[in-house]
Amino acid sequence: DDSWTVAGRTFRSRLIVGTGKYKDFAQNAAAVEASGAEIVTVAVRRVNVADPKAPMLTDYIDPKKITYLPNTAGCYTGEEAIRTLRLAREAGGWDLVKLEVLGEAKTLYPDMVETLRATEVLAKEGFKPMVYCVDDPIAAKRLEDAGAVAIMPLGAPIGSGLGIQNRVTIRLIVEGTSLPVLVDAGVGTASEASSAMELGCAGVLMNTAIAEAKNPVMMARAMKLAVESGRLAYRAGRMGRRMYADPSSPLAGLI
Amino acid sequence: DDSWTVAGRTFRSRLIVGTGKYKDFAQNAAAVEASGAEIVTVAVRRVNVADPKAPMLTDYIDPKKITYLPNTAGCYTGEEAIRTLRLAREAGGWDLVKLEVLGEAKTLYPDMVETLRATEVLAKEGFKPMVYCVDDPIAAKRLEDAGAVAIMPLGAPIGSGLGIQNRVTIRLIVEGTSLPVLVDAGVGTASEASSAMELGCAGVLMNTAIAEAKNPVMMARAMKLAVESGRLAYRAGRMGRRMYADPSSPLAGLI
Amino acid sequence: DDSWTVAGRTFRSRLIVGTGKYKDFAQNAAAVEASGAEIVTVAVRRVNVADPKAPMLTDYIDPKKITYLPNTAGCYTGEEAIRTLRLAREAGGWDLVKLEVLGEAKTLYPDMVETLRATEVLAKEGFKPMVYCVDDPIAAKRLEDAGAVAIMPLGAPIGSGLGIQNRVTIRLIVEGTSLPVLVDAGVGTASEASSAMELGCAGVLMNTAIAEAKNPVMMARAMKLAVESGRLAYRAGRMGRRMYADPSSPLAGLI
Amino acid sequence: DDSWTVAGRTFRSRLIVGTGKYKDFAQNAAAVEASGAEIVTVAVRRVNVADPKAPMLTDYIDPKKITYLPNTAGCYTGEEAIRTLRLAREAGGWDLVKLEVLGEAKTLYPDMVETLRATEVLAKEGFKPMVYCVDDPIAAKRLEDAGAVAIMPLGAPIGSGLGIQNRVTIRLIVEGTSLPVLVDAGVGTASEASSAMELGCAGVLMNTAIAEAKNPVMMARAMKLAVESGRLAYRAGRMGRRMYADPSSPLAGLI
């Protein structure tokens, strides 16, 4: 058994997937199923609460089986993000949430000053914030002190698919915190998800890499296996690197 | 179904694993089992044929269930390699073989002149040679013309664990040949195996990455999943890369 | 002419070099000379002010010819850093300073909360702070708003020589600010300094890469040329990348 | 002094530049001048020998000052290449030549079988062939045995500007041969030229990276400095890499 725990809740899958970029809810649900994810994240501001007759994601992805993780995508100040999550809690009772406070639309990088402030407020109000952040080991420690329950550094800009740009910082964050670390953005293909796990991360969150693949459901399964393989490789302990070749064991030389 | 075919034989697993670097035959067999491999490669020159009472690999890995692929590890001339494979065929009837003709002990790089010559001879004698080679798209075409049944370029020096050094050449080889291409050396951890498959390779062969992991059996399973995930990602068609961030779909903005 | 300007002062050299890791002041001075640097940075806390008879750096590197840039290396809070720079200003009249507020000894990453706060205080007191920071485009904007005169993101941990880990963030910082951007840590060899400049940076600051080279003076000259070459390559506008080969112009075919 | 020698001729510049992709001969000459190159390479098959009134490259780049290195670009068999160089020798007396025998138009990778054979023939006829080849340490040794005077591995496909793909093989080639090694293709910008030199190469040959820059003459100067800086960095001996940060020398702590 190799489960992980965040804010007292235990999960077996280490892959968190997004919502909101799929063709329709049915495809989204099929991708979640194929990914093996036990958590999906939903932008609270994107949820349609106006038209009660419109189809809803919960009709396709059962909140009794899959943990919904409300996020604050689209919030550019701490206040907006806090208000959004309060509404989410009132509406659905969620306290395990994903906080993201963006700094600008071009890079979608987090504003860490606002993020830290909001983390503190939310923690005091009893929320359990998993926090999208820059890949900065000191910021990670500050988030931990402020009450974050998970550190979620970006690997590259959201939706860029560029892969993990800085393996040094992710490693330093993992080494420096006792919280679970989940790479939260930038993964474009399977090997990049494995690679995040090989650094000792607790998990990976992705949206675009699955939703924008030519075959999202097949890619979801690829990502499931990639995260599992990277985790196993981390636990198995990789071989050392050599500057030169190394033959197999001495030849018996009988022929 | 996503099987692949080499010399008329069809396999479901795309991971070929080695023998000869494990603690003992039992560990080797357990790793093969965990890897899901349907083919194991064995250095003919390393096989003990002198002492009939000594334990044998075939006692642990059943040749009726797993295809044995004899290889010419330790051969530094085409003649040696050809002679070695003739002996293997006489002894066990194998014609699907892995040819490697090494150029020197330090790098264990193949000598392509000898490799090409031996490929031709072997093909004429009815062998089906899968050929270890440099990552050179022109050499790959020449091997194909000479009668190779699979192209097996190195990703990095044998046993180095440095990962695939040149993704451009592997891609060009895949694009330029109709034969299956399997990365044959240099993989050190799971993400590198995924990465090879994402380039469109038919498979990956590895030995040290599994045998020298702290937990070889766990790493064998990691590699199984890595190869499967990379293959699925290739088939699923990855998202494009972006220079800047890309938000999720337009926010409904109802809250 | 291709000079650059910071806080109203114009320089031709785009390489800033450190002090404090050399064998002796003479070697330090020789390296500065070879580097062509017009600015050297000095840790205020490291300066010996106790023994007036001890040799001084200013005996070797003439402050009338070379701009001294006092820095706050070793300061772990904004208060310490501010106090240190006030002392420097009282002692030597410096207002162009390099602010670094460290978060911890292991990574020597900046604490951005303290760094931002100290930047504001210093700017209000009339200092012109060039600021060591994480490679975060939003933090860069906040520093600009707070009164920084230059953005100095790290390329990798101080003294690590690992090279620029994240080219995406450095590019985004350069695109997002009107201030000069100088990569401040992590460069290990010449090509990495060129590479920083090719991203459009105004300059590079380094210490260990020169001081710990086997031949520091020769490496100082290497770095001078590297920074110049990277700058020229940036200005010249590099060729596009191609997935395949591209021959020279059509052959005349006369032979 | 840091000159290098090939076939008994000594040069100070380690940058060889091409011809044939420039706007006109005047721009080509200006780029050669800015690059500091002492050798230019010219495709024999591209030289106009039909119209004696047409302008000639030698009117712009003085063969008495700059060594012309005839090359066999566009030759796809050993025979073609040999014939081309014999004509060049008859016409201009050249024996120091650059051999390239291409395998196909898409990748412009060399055909190493033909290349080896042509090298042998040319060496026996008294030519001094500098040989374009794949980045294969064993092929490099074979070329040396066959009479090559310099090994010129590609860093990436000709004209691709992708940069040196495989630093491991270039290092192994440099370590394994007593001949000068010059990276011959693939460099796209200045830092990549430095990087080649940091591996211990004797020099770099480039054409497209200069000719296709927006400002070819400025890029030529960038490349001159890049090659010099990389060479100096190699000779100076770079610092070691560290997994963590390393502060400057212990603080005196007097303030």
Side-chain angles (χ1 to χ4, degrees), chain B residues 15-237:
Chain B
L15 175 57
I16 301 179
V17 300
T19 57
K21 279 194 166 178
Y22 292 88
K23 196 180 59 178
D24 52 33
F25 288 153
Q27 188 189 55
N28 199 338
V32 170
E33 172 80 20
S35 75
E38 295 169 326
I39 306 176
V40 296
T41 183
V42 180
V44 177
R45 305 192 75 187
R46 206 183 298 123
V47 174
N48 182 354
V49 295
D51 177 1
K53 289 178 190 157
M56 291 173 66
L57 186 62
T58 47
D59 299 337
Y60 293 80
I61 299 174
D62 184 352
K64 286 181 196 137
K65 295 181 181 156
I66 302 287
T67 298
Y68 274 60
L69 180 70
N71 72 56
T72 59
C75 294
Y76 285 83
T77 65
E79 285 318 303
E80 273 185 285
I82 293 164
R83 203 165 54 237
T84 297
L85 291 174
R86 284 179 188 147
L87 281 164
R89 182 156 64 175
E90 280 171 37
W94 293 291
D95 60 350
L96 183 65
V97 296
K98 187 187 155 209
L99 172 67
E100 50 182 276
V101 185
L102 302 174
E104 63 174 357
K106 183 184 175 190
T107 61
L108 298 180
Y109 255 65
D111 181 319
M112 288 309 297
V113 171
E114 291 286 291
T115 297
L116 265 165
R117 204 166 52 76
T119 300
E120 261 176 45
V121 172
L122 290 167
K124 278 182 192 144
E125 296 188 5
F127 284 98
K128 309 293 180 193
M130 301 173 70
V131 186
Y132 168 64
C133 57
V134 292
D135 57 331
D136 170 354
I138 306 302
K141 282 177 200 288
R142 283 197 169 257
L143 288 172
E144 184 167 3
D145 292 343
V149 299
I151 306 298
M152 304 188 73
L154 44 62
I158 292 176
S160 69
L162 292 172
I164 297 174
Q165 296 299 301
N166 192 335
R167 298 174 58 79
V168 173
T169 45
I170 304 294
R171 172 175 57 81
L172 294 175
I173 291 170
V174 169
E175 290 177 6
T177 182
S178 61
L179 297 177
V181 177
L182 298 95
V183 167
D184 184 8
V187 164
T189 187
S191 57
E192 295 160 4
S194 307
S195 171
M197 298 306 298
E198 288 165 356
L199 290 167
C201 291
V204 177
L205 184 153
M206 68 181 70
N207 189 21
T208 312
I210 295 176
E212 288 193 3
K214 290 207 179 58
N215 183 334
V217 177
M218 187 180 285
M219 187 59 92
R221 177 155 174 77
M223 291 300 185
K224 171 187 159 67
L225 300 179
V227 167
E228 290 175 9
S229 74
R231 176 66 186 173
L232 282 167
Y234 172 72
R235 291 172 63 207

Side-chain angles (χ1 to χ4, degrees), chain C residues 205-221:
Chain C
L205 184 152
M206 68 182 69
N207 190 20
T208 311
I210 295 176
E212 288 194 3
K214 290 207 178 59
N215 183 334
V217 177
M218 187 181 284
M219 187 59 91
R221 176 155 174 79

